Amino acid sequence: MRLLKRGISCLTITGYIGILLFGIFCHTFTFRTGSHPGMYYIVWDMFCGWSAYSIRTHIIGEGISGKYYELSPGPWGDYYPYGGLGRRHYDTTGDAWVRMAMNTLDKTDHEPMLRIMCIEEAWCKKYNLPDAVWDQRYEEQKDFQNYYRLRKVITPDGMVAQTYVPWLTRQRTLQVSDNPRLLSDMNRGRSFFATTVGQQVMDAGFQHDPDVPVHLSSPVGN
């Protein structure tokens, strides 16, 4: 019995250390970090990407007639890698949106496209609660609000013409710009370059004599 307990202890410790080493390897070399939901608990980034908002992606093509087409999923259906969400919703950075759109266009008959738009839809996750749970948790009625933001504009030949930041990033920027104290702190702490002409210190945008050597100093902040 003592040998059995000792063997189980050694096996548990060995397995634990092995999983830790495997997680370090996967996290360092980005090896199959998203290959399985179980990897979520191994690569040590369990909650860093959590958001209070649900995000969905819509890839829409605009024809020359003004008609709009859904380009992802294609007419053959969608691919669901983990659960009930299509794969385009997992690509929050938009790296594969062009390929998804062009794959649908290449394999379907349609009028010439004028442009392709990738649109982000966002809403607060609390609205995902069932009505019965909502009534127990909140006193107010469920007032679902969703927000749309254009993320990319793609030409008919698959070139990205315009790119915009995500809706959450835009909201953070608006919050900072609407706070006078934060703006003042940002302006006071903004780095600048100083240049010298002989013994004179001037701003980097100074129009100097091209025959006089100018030396750039290191960035200096307040």
Side-chain angles (χ1 to χ4, degrees), residues 132-190:
V133 178
W134 177 278
D135 294 338
Q136 295 179 11
R137 175 64 178 83
Y138 301 99
E139 296 181 358
E140 69 272 13
Q141 295 292 325
K142 183 187 291 186
D143 184 19
F144 182 84
Q145 300 287 339
N146 53 347
Y147 310 93
Y148 295 91
R149 180 167 176 80
L150 182 63
R151 289 290 307 279
K152 287 182 186 291
V153 177
I154 306 169
T155 63
D157 55 353
M159 300 296 294
V160 178
Q162 294 172 310
T163 301
Y164 302 94
V165 297
W167 181 82
L168 288 174
T169 303
R170 175 60 176 166
Q171 295 306 307
R172 286 193 292 267
T173 303
L174 292 176
Q175 289 177 348
V176 172
S177 62
D178 194 41
N179 190 319
R181 182 183 63 81
L182 289 179
L183 286 178
S184 177
D185 292 343
M186 290 171 58
N187 291 330
R188 286 199 305 269
R190 182 174 298 170

Side-chain angles (χ1 to χ4, degrees), residues 56-72:
R56 299 294 184 268
T57 302
H58 306 280
I59 303 178
I60 308 298
E62 181 182 0
I64 58 175
S65 65
K67 185 177 180 180
Y68 294 91
Y69 301 85
E70 185 179 48
L71 302 183
S72 182

